[in-house]
Amino acid sequence: MRILGIESSCDESGVAIIDADQGLLSHALYSQVAQHAEYGGVVPELASRDHVRKLLPLVEQVMAQAGCTPEDITAIAYTAGPGLVGALLVGAMEARGLAWAWGVPALPVHHMEGHLLAPMLEDRRPEFPFLALLVSGGHSMLVRVDRVGTYEVLGESLDDAVGEAFDKTAKLLGLGYPGGPALAELAKEGDPGRFRFPRPMTDRPGLDLSFSGLKTFALNTLAKIEGTRQDKADIALAFEQAVTETLVIKCRRALRQTGLQRLVVAGGVGANERLRNGLSDLVIREAAQVFFPRIEFCTDNGAMIALAGLVRYQAGYRGDSRLMARPRWPLAELGI
Ligand code: KG4
Ligand code: ZN
């Protein structure tokens, strides 16, 4: 059983082939970051046009790398949402078109489900049930995962997603797009004791999150000082420390509240080293385990979509003949 996966929800075109027995056979990614960088953020129309150009060549590339012909493919999984509608439509049409031509099912996949299953691409795989911390550019949430398709959102961001807060703070520090990795790099030069940012919503019960205040705090801090490179590095570090400690506190609370002993971390901000270290220390104290995807599978990629398609296909999911593209799609609505 082999599934071809196609990801095109935002600014990365990702394609991969996964085999039920042999695991990931091939994967390829084309990032549009350089094109959007000059605008300081993703330009939706440019993203759609670039997916049109890149997806088919990427499909040809992964088919050749895996030594596959269309007869070897059991189904085609594609990201049906959430994301930019134009970008989603390109991937959906491509997947549906190929599925019709090859006579196989096309399986719409939820982008965040792809992220939260991504640690299962690794040799050390989490077993169900687990707690998932999803931290991407568009979403931040804590989810109880009992099995594929059964997701209970325990808490989520009331305003900016964590990745969005990283990007906005990076922007006001004059760093390029996407700002998360650039901010993390600058934070390495920071003085750990200079500024202390708040830990939002940790002083009250519950698992919801809020990050827009941190960006404002960074702005106000910057306004009071000269703004040298060292000043900016100190702010970057204080911001990163605040985000990490807030997420560690919320994960500890969620682990204790649910009694779950496995924590899965996924989404672009899951690539952040300070966060990975903070959560690794937490699970030692809590006698739990943590599972991360490798860094390249934290951010958007086709492998996680192929994997989600495979797990769903094995659970009996066959999609239907409609073309599906849902810019907004609550995770809790998913079933099999
Ligand atoms: O999951 P993802 O690739 O796309 C969405 O589904 O949104 O996440 C992208 C986000 C961006 O906000 C980016 O700045 C952030 O993840 N990010 C990071 C790091 N790498 C990516 N944030 C902090 N530290 C990083 N190392
Ligand atoms: Zn994503």
Side-chain angles (χ1 to χ4, degrees):
M1 184 188 297
R2 287 184 178 177
I3 310 288
L4 174 73
I6 296 179
E7 155 65 29
S8 73
S9 64
C10 190
D11 59 349
E12 328 266 358
S13 308
V15 182
I17 298 173
I18 195 165
D19 181 281
D21 302 316
Q22 299 165 51
L24 198 61
L25 298 182
S26 59
H27 63 100
L29 186 82
Y30 174 79
S31 172
Q32 307 176 351
V33 160
Q35 270 192 58
H36 300 292
E38 61 177 299
Y39 302 100
V42 179
V43 183
E45 181 57 25
L46 291 183
S48 313
R49 288 185 207 178
D50 218 42
H51 288 307
V52 172
R53 281 191 286 269
K54 291 296 181 327
L55 282 178
L56 258 187
L58 289 175
V59 170
E60 283 170 354
Q61 186 181 328
V62 296
M63 292 288 280
Q65 267 168 13
C68 282
T69 61
E71 292 75 46
D72 299 321
I73 301 298
T74 316
I76 303 176
Y78 66 95
T79 304
L84 302 171
V85 70
L88 290 169
L89 272 170
V90 176
M93 285 191 291
E94 171 121 358
R96 273 255 54 112
L98 286 173
W100 266 312
W102 296 353
V104 296
L107 313 174
V109 165
H110 192 291
H111 181 79
M112 299 312 288
E113 180 176 69
H115 273 307
L116 74 84
L117 297 178
M120 293 186 171
L121 290 162
E122 307 305 328
D123 293 336
R124 193 176 150 267
R125 299 164 53 120
E127 280 173 28
F128 297 111
F130 56 75
L131 174 72
L133 172 68
L134 288 178
V135 277
S136 74
H139 298 83
S140 303
M141 45 182 132
L142 277 159
V143 186
R144 184 193 165 100
V145 181
D146 284 302
R147 63 190 74 82
V148 175
T150 306
Y151 307 118
E152 185 190 348
V153 179
L154 304 172
E156 59 192 324
S157 180
L158 304 178
D159 41 57
D160 291 354
V162 190
E164 191 180 355
F166 262 97
D167 293 340
K168 287 179 176 171
T169 305
K171 199 169 190 170
L172 65 91
L173 292 177
L175 305 171
Y177 171 84
L183 188 147
E185 204 45 46
L186 183 62
K188 288 182 184 159
E189 298 169 26
D191 167 0
R194 182 155 171 222
F195 300 117
R196 186 181 161 83
F197 280 33
R199 277 53 175 155
M201 297 186 70
T202 52
D203 57 350
R204 65 188 92 164
L207 295 170
D208 281 336
L209 303 156
S210 163
F211 292 101
S212 67
L214 288 180
K215 163 197 67 194
T216 313
F217 203 89
L219 188 66
N220 293 341
T221 307
L222 188 63
K224 285 184 223 138
I225 53 181
E226 211 181 319
T228 61
R229 181 175 172 91
Q230 188 59 49
D231 289 341
K232 290 180 179 176
D234 296 345
I235 290 175
L237 178 56
F239 170 86
E240 207 185 36
Q241 285 172 326
V243 168
T244 300
E245 201 182 307
T246 302
L247 291 174
V248 166
I249 292 170
K250 294 287 173 158
C251 285
R252 180 176 63 212
R253 207 177 271 177
L255 286 170
R256 291 184 181 174
Q257 197 172 303
T258 57
L260 293 169
Q261 283 161 337
R262 283 176 289 268
L263 171 66
V264 157
V265 183
V269 185
N272 184 273
E273 204 180 316
R274 186 172 305 278
L275 180 64
R276 287 170 92 100
N277 291 338
L279 293 170
S280 298
D281 291 345
L282 169 74
V283 294
I284 294 171
R285 295 195 298 273
E286 297 295 307
Q289 291 173 289
V290 67
F291 300 83
F292 302 102
R294 72 192 81 160
I295 302 286
E296 67 173 320
F297 293 157
C298 282
T299 43
D300 293 347
N301 64 85
M304 67 184 195
I305 303 304
L307 172 79
L310 173 65
V311 179
R312 290 193 146 258
Y313 191 87
Q314 288 173 324
Y317 179 63
R318 294 293 180 270
D320 59 37
S321 59
R322 280 175 303 175
L323 187 142
M324 185 168 156
R326 288 187 66 174
R328 291 181 189 280
W329 186 4
L331 188 63
E333 276 183 18
L334 279 183
I336 280 286

